[in-house]
Amino acid sequence: MAKIGFIGIGKLGLDCAEVMAEKHEVRGYDIVPRTSDSVRVCDIAELVEESEWIFIAVPTPHAEGYDGSVPSSHMEPRDFGHEAVIDAINRVNANATTSKKVVLISTVLPGTTRRKFITLLDPKHQFLYNPYLIAMGSVKWDMANPEMVIIGTEDGSLTGVAGELIDLYKTIMNNDPRYEVGTWDECEAIKIFYNTFISAKVGLVNMIQDFAMKIGNINVDVVTDALAKSTMRIMGPKYMTAGMGDAGACHPRDNIALRWLAAEYEVGYDLFDTVMHAREIQARNLALFLVEESKKSGLPVVIHGKAYKPDVEYCIGSYSTLVGFYVKEAGLPVAYVDPLSDNKDEVVDTVDHPAVFLWAHNRKITYEYTGDQQDTQPYCKIMPGSVIVDPWRKLPLDMADITVVHYGNTRL
Ligand SMILES: NC(=O)c1ccc[n+]([C@@H]2O[C@H](COP(=O)([O-])OP(=O)(O)OC[C@H]3O[C@@H](n4cnc5c(N)ncnc54)[C@H](O)[C@@H]3O)[C@@H](O)[C@H]2O)c1
């Protein structure tokens, strides 16, 4: 039986503490009076002194008017408040005479723990970031039946204390969840972007509802049910690897045309513009990274793959040429290698000098849903001294005489 303390026994903390109390000795502390049949409510000194594990479930409040119940998209963006978390950490420091395992549950934006909290915690304690995917109305059930348990450590490794937390959770779980271990920052990101995916999904289906109301002869459920059953591409892991942007003969132009439809039917917003604008800026960010690598190494930029995907000749809607556009806009020339591409502008057959390559094509990622697992083979000889920027992060990092950069992985 573990000795556990919960600082903050509000809407989330109290139910979670009571689930823990079914198997363990649990104390709770709050700045307002709370009662419980199974959790011993006590002062902070007793809680810290008596607990080996200290879970922090205090609020990280939004500013007034930032909860989404009234319009706020016109207001200046604001971070959550961190005062209660800082207060809880200070109280642990002030009251602990021995090393504690401190577990922060409260939701914070990516980067917050490392930037704001860790420097405050007495280094004799061990710290984990462990946000919950729990919803009001089903806190106790969610706690014992989570889809995954997210555990953040300093370097993302499964440290001893992270392993101990997993063992602790195993004592209360009704299911056998995934345990996702990452850096504090990755775990902050998993939690908050999980919620964002839900918001984006709901925003999209409600947009279809708006179109149904405006255009006529459309039952939104017929459309969304058909999409919901589309497990090959939409409802599943496909398109969940960050890399090159959406491309091809259909997707970009469909969204560009849908901007017209949104205006024509006066739905009042334009998600397509937002998606397409983000796509362009993402391409520009990648292009500027190539430009930076080129200036650092003194090597020219070559984009490996010009067609919008491997194995086809079509350059229509190509994200490679969009990236190339922004490289040129930044003042550098660009060359492409692609034996198939139907647009030969700036395409070379060989590159007989070292270069900064953008590894735009990845056959395996594009075609593995068909069962085809074969990787992209180089379209030309890559000379020693080259730098390969791999936006798919699949090329090995230990290639002889070639530097591989995994774009999107800042952990290395
Ligand atoms: N409620 C949920 O469904 C849910 C789900 C996932 C994550 N979260 C996150 O968990 C955190 C807590 O959420 P909540 O809904 O339980 O909030 P809440 O306001 O209901 O509960 C927080 C509790 O902490 C107490 N508290 C405030 N400052 C304190 C301090 N300095 N020391 C000790 N106690 C203090 C409050 O009195 C309150 O009882 C937030 O970061 C929230 O985003 C909540």
Side-chain angles (χ1 to χ4, degrees), residues 7-13 29-32 34 57-60 84 87 106-107 132 134-136 191:
I7 302 182
I9 39 175
K11 293 189 290 295
L12 179 75
Y29 163 75
D30 204 295
I31 52 171
V32 301
R34 302 276 180 214
V58 297
T60 44
D87 179 63
S106 308
T107 306
Y132 289 176
I134 277 181
M136 288 285 89
K191 155 75 193 187

Side-chain angles (χ1 to χ4, degrees), residues 47 54-55 57 73 80 111 128-129 190 204 243 284 339 342 367 395-396 399 401 405:
L47 181 138
I54 298 177
F55 290 80
S73 58
F80 301 131
L128 296 167
Y129 182 62
I190 294 170
L204 279 172
R284 193 177 70 186
D342 61 7
Y367 293 115
L395 290 177
M399 284 193 195
D401 301 323
V405 180

Side-chain angles (χ1 to χ4, degrees), residues 12-76:
L12 179 75
L14 183 58
D15 278 1
C16 294
E18 287 182 348
V19 172
M20 290 276 198
E22 289 168 20
K23 296 282 166 55
H24 303 283
E25 180 184 323
V26 182
R27 288 177 172 75
Y29 163 75
D30 204 295
I31 52 171
V32 301
R34 302 276 180 214
T35 54
S36 168
D37 291 338
S38 55
V39 172
R40 177 177 156 77
V41 180
C42 63
D43 63 26
I44 187 73
E46 178 187 328
L47 181 138
V48 173
E49 188 55 36
E50 293 298 327
S51 306
E52 54 173 313
W53 291 96
I54 298 177
F55 290 80
I56 300 177
V58 297
T60 44
H62 46 267
E64 183 72 29
Y66 282 72
D67 70 339
S69 63
V70 292
S72 61
S73 58
H74 59 292
M75 293 179 351
E76 184 199 342

Side-chain angles (χ1 to χ4, degrees), residues 141-360:
W141 190 91
D142 288 346
M143 174 83 173
N145 298 275
E147 178 168 7
M148 62 175 150
V149 177
I150 309 162
I151 300 177
T153 63
E154 180 169 12
D155 64 359
S157 63
L158 179 56
T159 57
V161 68
E164 286 179 49
L165 184 61
I166 292 172
D167 289 341
L168 181 67
Y169 277 128
K170 284 185 176 162
T171 64
I172 58 150
M173 292 304 173
N174 285 338
N175 66 350
D176 183 18
R178 272 181 293 133
Y179 291 91
E180 298 284 355
V181 179
T183 62
W184 298 320
D185 321 70
E186 286 164 348
C187 291
E188 290 161 336
I190 294 170
K191 155 75 193 187
I192 206 95
F193 293 130
Y194 186 98
N195 289 355
T196 298
F197 263 84
I198 295 172
S199 303
K201 205 168 166 179
V202 174
L204 279 172
V205 298
N206 287 351
M207 178 191 73
I208 300 169
Q209 186 175 49
D210 275 348
F211 275 116
M213 295 305 290
K214 295 276 185 183
I215 297 172
N217 304 301
I218 296 175
N219 176 354
V220 61
D221 296 330
V222 174
V223 181
T224 55
D225 286 352
L227 297 177
K229 289 175 195 146
S230 301
T231 53
M232 195 181 280
R233 291 192 177 85
I234 305 179
M235 303 296 160
K238 182 83 173 130
Y239 298 111
M240 286 298 284
T241 307
M244 297 289 282
D246 199 10
C250 303
H251 297 194
R253 75 179 216 116
D254 289 354
N255 282 290
I256 293 164
L258 280 161
R259 295 187 56 210
W260 173 85
L261 196 76
E264 178 72 8
Y265 285 96
E266 296 178 349
V267 289
Y269 52 88
D270 188 345
L271 285 184
F272 317 106
D273 181 48
T274 303
V275 169
M276 297 312 282
H277 180 68
R279 174 182 181 268
E280 286 174 9
I281 304 303
Q282 287 157 3
R284 193 177 70 186
N285 290 342
L286 179 53
L288 294 181
F289 186 80
L290 296 173
V291 168
E292 206 180 297
E293 288 294 322
S294 167
K295 288 188 174 159
K296 242 172 29 194
S297 60
L299 303 175
V301 174
V302 175
I303 298 184
H304 185 271
K306 186 174 189 188
Y308 82 83
K309 63 178 177 179
D311 291 9
V312 301
E313 62 269 38
Y314 316 112
C315 289
I316 185 169
S318 168
Y319 196 75
S320 292
T321 56
L322 186 62
V323 174
F325 171 91
Y326 288 115
V327 172
K328 286 188 281 183
E329 190 184 65
L332 292 191
V334 71
Y336 298 88
V337 271
D338 190 332
L340 289 181
S341 69
D342 61 7
N343 176 333
K344 294 296 179 200
D345 295 349
E346 295 160 329
V347 172
V348 294
D349 293 331
T350 55
V351 181
D352 56 7
H353 49 77
V356 172
F357 286 90
L358 172 64
W359 212 250

